[in-house]
Amino acid sequence: MFDKKTYVQRRAKLARQVKSGLLLFLGNGESPMNYPANPYHYRQDSTFLYFFGLSHPGLAAVIDLDEGRQTVFGDDVDMEDIIWMGPQPALKGRCARVGVSDQRPLVDLAAVLRDGVRQGRRVHFLPPYRAENAAWLERLLGIRAETARDHASAEFARAVIAQRSLKSAGEVAEIEAALAVSAAMYREAMAMAQPGISEREIAGFIEGIALAGGGRMAFPAIVSKHGETLHNHFHGNRLAEGDLLLIDSGAEAESGYASDITRTIPVGGRFNPLQKDIYETVLDMQLTAIAMIRPGVSYRSVHLRASEVLAEHLAHIGLMRGRAADAVACGAHALFFPHGLGHMMGLDVHDMEDLGETWVGYDDKVKRSPQFGLAYLRLARKLEAGHVLTVEPGIYFIPALIDQWRRERRHAEFIRYERVEKLRAFGGIRIEDDVLVLKRGVRVLGPAIPKSVAEVEAAVRGR
Ligand code: GLY
Ligand code: MN
Ligand code: MN
């Protein structure tokens, strides 16, 4: 949690961006796992957290732009709550700590909104991503829950995105706190990556580090020898010498800020020659991309340059042919790299994706491409100082995709299918770091985590 001034200033800045009406913020409630009294870990909505800093269920807030009033709606705990949850600080005091003096019972929210609507004033709300909050909007505003996202306020969402996209020094420090936990997670995971261990032993251990760090995982970890499946959450395999273990994981600091790191680790501590060649290709893609990052550069151009590096190396290795720039222009590289180079990161690991992925990552000048692979690029717009983003290239051998493209002879002038075919069982390699765009250049955030072939091999071998 930041100091009072931070929240006051954030709300004041937001209020200047939207012309008139009421800004409605719905906090997150508890979300049941398998019966109402057994909820998932509580997670406050990130925009609510950003502007109000209050992280508990049962809250909403309104900024009345015309009357300049800011109100938090919520209730103090009653005796029954105290018996089960223990005493809780009074809401009035919690609101005062974030600079809100007007606190009212939650039941008053509906009437305040109804009055606003009756006066012909716009109630701006953000696109709900939880069914409970879509249903709440329906009760408050009479908008059918299924259509609530369509009625969300673009003006409000864009103003929030513009503000949250630029990270303050305090926010960067929180992301680096999460990255310090990530560094400990990868140190342990690399040492554990020995033949005979199971994926789930490593997954469980690193999750424990996140919990012990005072936060939790920022998203379900990928800990898999099948790194070619991009979001593989199965942890049931046992590892053998020579497997490649891909771990994509993030910690969430107590404040809610995330980290997002990927390393690919040779089980037993030695890459074989082909693994090393492909690993160094991905590393070159990543380092080339990082070196290009600075204000004014579009992330799409960085993604495309990283893709060219892939095509250059794979031609050298004998898996592609032809001019790299031509291969990338027609999308041939996406057989191996079918996802985007990265995304914004902050309070959400894919920051603000609930508000609209395209509004976060694209602008009036950079439009989303429909081309396979490039279409998955979440961040393409021009970068600005203060952006925090991930740089996460990868190379994957996805048997089903290879089969489909080979059958269709897709981009056969660039892809040597007869050789690619032999690598169906290779798996996948991804390397991911989180970076801050500086006025001049870029800074890789957090403590260094072993990344070169020599560093990763040494970390597995305990040197
Ligand atoms: N952890 C998902 C991602 O890297 O985007
Ligand atoms: Mn990741
Ligand atoms: Mn990521």
Side-chain angles (χ1 to χ4, degrees), residues 108-339:
D108 289 1
L109 175 64
V112 166
L113 297 179
R114 230 178 4 252
D115 286 351
V117 170
R118 210 176 288 132
Q119 292 159 8
R121 300 166 67 207
R122 170 106 195 249
V123 177
H124 299 269
F125 59 86
L126 299 169
Y129 53 92
R130 286 194 178 185
E132 292 89 341
N133 280 6
W136 195 9
L137 282 170
E138 178 166 329
R139 291 195 301 281
L140 290 169
L141 299 171
I143 292 166
R144 277 208 0 258
E146 307 87 80
T147 66
R149 284 188 73 83
D150 306 332
H151 292 277
S153 166
E155 195 185 357
F156 185 13
R158 283 175 175 272
V160 171
I161 290 167
Q163 200 168 334
R164 283 181 53 192
S165 293
L166 301 177
K167 270 65 181 179
S168 67
E171 291 182 279
V172 171
E174 290 300 320
I175 292 167
E176 293 207 285
L179 280 162
V181 177
S182 279
M185 285 158 68
Y186 281 90
R187 203 168 37 242
E188 295 299 332
M190 287 181 188
M192 288 173 82
Q194 307 301 334
I197 198 165
S198 67
E199 294 163 345
R200 58 170 65 108
E201 283 170 85
I202 299 177
F205 200 85
I206 63 174
E207 184 153 354
I209 293 172
L211 296 174
R216 66 179 81 127
M217 301 299 270
F219 55 91
I222 297 158
V223 181
S224 179
K225 66 176 193 169
H226 286 294
E228 76 280 8
T229 301
L230 299 184
H231 278 176
N232 193 340
H233 294 136
F234 177 73
H235 298 154
N237 295 303
R238 203 160 277 286
L239 302 177
E241 182 90 34
D243 285 340
L244 287 176
L245 175 67
L246 187 151
I247 303 184
D248 181 346
S249 67
E252 189 176 282
E254 225 174 333
S255 56
Y257 284 84
S259 58
D260 186 8
I261 294 287
T262 306
R263 290 291 185 268
T264 307
I265 304 161
V267 174
R270 278 266 183 264
F271 288 101
N272 71 32
L274 181 67
Q275 288 172 341
K276 181 166 175 285
D277 282 348
I278 306 272
Y279 188 93
E280 287 188 326
T281 301
V282 178
L283 187 57
D284 193 11
M285 291 165 73
Q286 203 221 25
L287 297 178
T288 301
I290 292 172
M292 284 177 73
I293 292 174
R294 60 180 179 277
V297 169
S298 83
Y299 206 47
R300 191 222 295 268
S301 68
V302 182
H303 171 94
L304 292 174
R305 179 64 202 129
S307 303
E308 286 177 7
V309 172
L310 175 155
E312 288 158 10
H313 279 260
L314 291 198
H316 195 69
I317 294 169
L319 300 174
M320 291 185 78
R321 62 185 153 217
R323 269 190 67 217
D326 296 339
V328 169
C330 71
H333 66 286
L335 174 64
F336 306 102
F337 178 34
H339 62 76

Side-chain angles (χ1 to χ4, degrees), residues 260 343 390 392 432:
D260 186 8
H343 49 85
T390 68
E392 50 178 308
E432 176 175 26

